Amino acid sequence: MRQEDIADSGNLRLPAPRQILKDQLHIGWVCTPPAAGSGGHTTLFRMVQGLEERGHRCTLFLYDRYADDVARHEEVIRRNWPGMRAEVRSATRGMEDVDGVVASSWATAHVVASRVISKAHRFYFIQDYEPFFYPRGTLYALAEDTYRFGFKNIALGKMIAGVMENEVGTSPDAIVPFGCDNDIYRILPERDAASRSGVVFYAKKNVDRRGYLLAKLALERFHQAHPEQEIHVYGDKVSGWSIPVTDHGNLTPTQLNELYNRTLAGLAISFTNISLVPEELMSAGNIPVLNESAYSRAVLSTDDAVWGRPTPCGMADALAAAVEATDVEARAARVAERERQDWEETKKQVASIIETACAEVLTGDRAS
């Protein structure tokens, strides 16, 4: 982020937001420019659509630390999230005409704290405990400080609540549930479960919490034991592997569901909050293979997932156990039939939190 946008909870004084009593709110959502396939942006934009579906006006304020002109990012948004109608503007060119503003990451929380000077209601949609993205140092401390800014904090999943309490000594104002896109991720009727083969991995090379190097080493070991299993990689383009892989690059959700339907297992590594991948895999009858993590287990409680030690051998062995199971057809049906909540309840809860907060009467300065 830009250095001038760094806020400090020690001297931050937020004006008390004004009470808003009207049917249509104008809510601003501050985020970084998205890339195609970004899971965090997809989840955030679902919340934006949830407000729009209730008749509210929404504006995306993109924070590009390198430029004030964000017009080039709008085409990416319109192409990849066509259901969202929100206007797209730059967060550095003023956000003063909104009733409420939602930060979506630690950097954008600083931007909201430093740049929004109006009496707008301030919210923070928290999808992960972001200090864990960095070694202990300046960025860790700046990310951690955002939970002290005095925004109305909305946590996605109970893992974040527990870590916030342990690390910062504060609890989110609300916890909303994870969802799954059940319309997209499902068993395809034309697929024969018994014909499944191969494994799949979502590559995020520059996001260490998603375990790219660990997955690469594990898959190379797994290939030595199971050369008959095709290895599918999607997401970032990969190179420098010592084994053959089928590199799909970015796939649409529909294409992903098709890939999940014809493979046996999916490697879904995360060292912080769980990703959306495990539930999406299971919806398609695919077995998720995860690294042992108290954070992931806090969210995903099922006997159908396979857990491995977060080492190359540990994850390779877990993958082998998943593909060596003999009940492929029955297992695919079982994991797909597991009851899972869609995103509608999450959207409803987030919208209700924002609507209720905007209607509240608060007086005096709201200090951090």
Side-chain angles (χ1 to χ4, degrees):
M1 60 182 302
R2 304 180 191 183
Q3 186 171 323
E4 64 266 27
D5 289 325
I6 295 174
D8 184 338
S9 66
N11 60 15
L12 181 64
R13 295 294 180 269
L14 303 178
R18 63 187 184 278
Q19 184 185 31
I20 310 295
L21 296 176
K22 59 183 182 181
D23 292 336
Q24 185 188 63
L25 299 170
H26 182 194
I27 303 299
W29 304 77
V30 188
C31 65
T32 55
S38 169
H41 284 91
T42 297
T43 300
L44 178 71
F45 294 164
R46 284 191 178 103
M47 304 306 113
V48 177
Q49 284 186 249
L51 267 291
E52 291 178 336
E53 289 163 1
R54 291 161 77 109
H56 302 297
R57 174 189 171 198
C58 290
T59 298
L60 288 185
F61 291 101
L62 300 187
Y63 181 70
D64 185 338
R65 63 173 173 158
Y66 302 109
D68 294 322
D69 184 2
V70 299
R72 68 189 187 280
H73 301 300
E74 184 168 1
E75 190 275 332
V76 175
I77 293 170
R78 300 304 180 203
R79 184 176 69 250
N80 291 281
W81 294 276
M84 185 175 56
R85 303 187 305 273
E87 180 185 359
V88 178
R89 290 159 52 181
S90 173
T92 61
R93 291 182 169 173
M95 297 180 281
E96 303 313 310
D97 58 337
V98 294
D99 300 312
V101 60
V102 185
S104 62
S105 64
W106 76 266
T108 61
H110 280 270
V111 172
V112 170
S114 61
R115 288 185 179 266
V116 178
I117 59 176
S118 69
K119 291 188 175 184
H121 293 258
R122 292 163 172 83
F123 305 90
Y124 189 179
F125 184 62
I126 306 170
Q127 297 191 50
D128 210 333
Y129 188 75
E130 295 188 5
F132 285 168
F133 293 4
Y134 309 100
R136 293 275 183 170
T138 300
L139 296 182
Y140 187 105
L142 291 176
E144 184 179 68
D145 199 35
T146 60
Y147 306 124
R148 308 184 186 99
F149 282 177
F151 300 174
K152 183 171 284 292
N153 293 329
I154 306 169
L156 181 63
K158 60 184 178 181
M159 168 267 176
I160 296 168
V163 177
M164 282 180 63
E165 291 166 3
N166 292 336
E167 298 289 329
V168 190
T170 187
S171 300
D173 297 281
I175 303 171
V176 296
F178 270 93
C180 184
D181 192 343
N182 296 326
D183 292 333
I184 295 291
Y185 297 100
R186 55 190 175 84
I187 290 280
L188 297 174
E190 65 272 21
R191 287 290 180 189
D192 178 6
S195 68
R196 289 176 182 265
S197 66
V199 299
V200 61
F201 167 59
Y202 178 38
K204 295 289 288 183
K205 294 189 290 188
N206 297 317
V207 182
D208 193 49
R209 66 184 182 277
R210 299 304 190 211
Y212 173 76
L213 178 57
L214 174 59
K216 176 178 178 290
L217 296 173
L219 286 165
E220 289 173 342
R221 288 177 180 271
F222 168 77
H223 177 73
Q224 303 309 314
H226 286 281
E228 79 285 359
Q229 297 292 342
E230 186 176 4
I231 294 172
H232 300 268
V233 179
Y234 71 94
D236 292 343
K237 284 287 188 179
V238 301
S239 60
W241 289 49
S242 64
I243 59 172
V245 299
T246 302
D247 191 355
H248 297 272
N250 275 320
L251 296 174
T252 66
T254 298
Q255 291 170 329
L256 269 182
N257 186 59
E258 292 172 353
L259 180 58
Y260 291 167
N261 264 265
R262 61 188 176 92
T263 47
L264 288 164
L267 195 53
I269 296 175
S270 180
F271 288 93
T272 55
N273 206 2
I274 198 167
S275 74
L276 305 181
V277 172
E279 286 286 4
E280 293 169 352
L281 285 166
M282 287 190 290
S283 292
N286 195 302
I287 300 301
V289 177
L290 303 93
N291 55 301
E292 278 288 356
S293 166
Y295 305 133
S296 293
R297 282 192 179 271
V299 179
L300 184 68
S301 57
T302 173
D303 294 332
D304 292 312
V306 178
W307 301 83
R309 287 182 298 109
T311 66
C313 287
M315 297 309 298
D317 290 345
L319 269 174
V323 303
E324 290 168 4
T326 57
D327 57 340
V328 173
E329 193 168 352
R331 184 182 59 175
R334 183 176 67 247
V335 298
E337 290 169 359
R338 177 174 175 262
E339 185 176 351
R340 49 183 55 85
Q341 185 169 285
D342 62 20
W343 285 105
E344 291 306 310
E345 179 61 24
T346 311
K347 290 161 58 177
K348 177 182 177 182
Q349 289 187 25
V350 169
S352 178
I353 291 164
I354 291 173
E355 291 168 344
T356 301
C358 287
E360 290 177 348
V361 178
L362 298 174
T363 57
D365 284 351
R366 184 173 58 178
S368 62

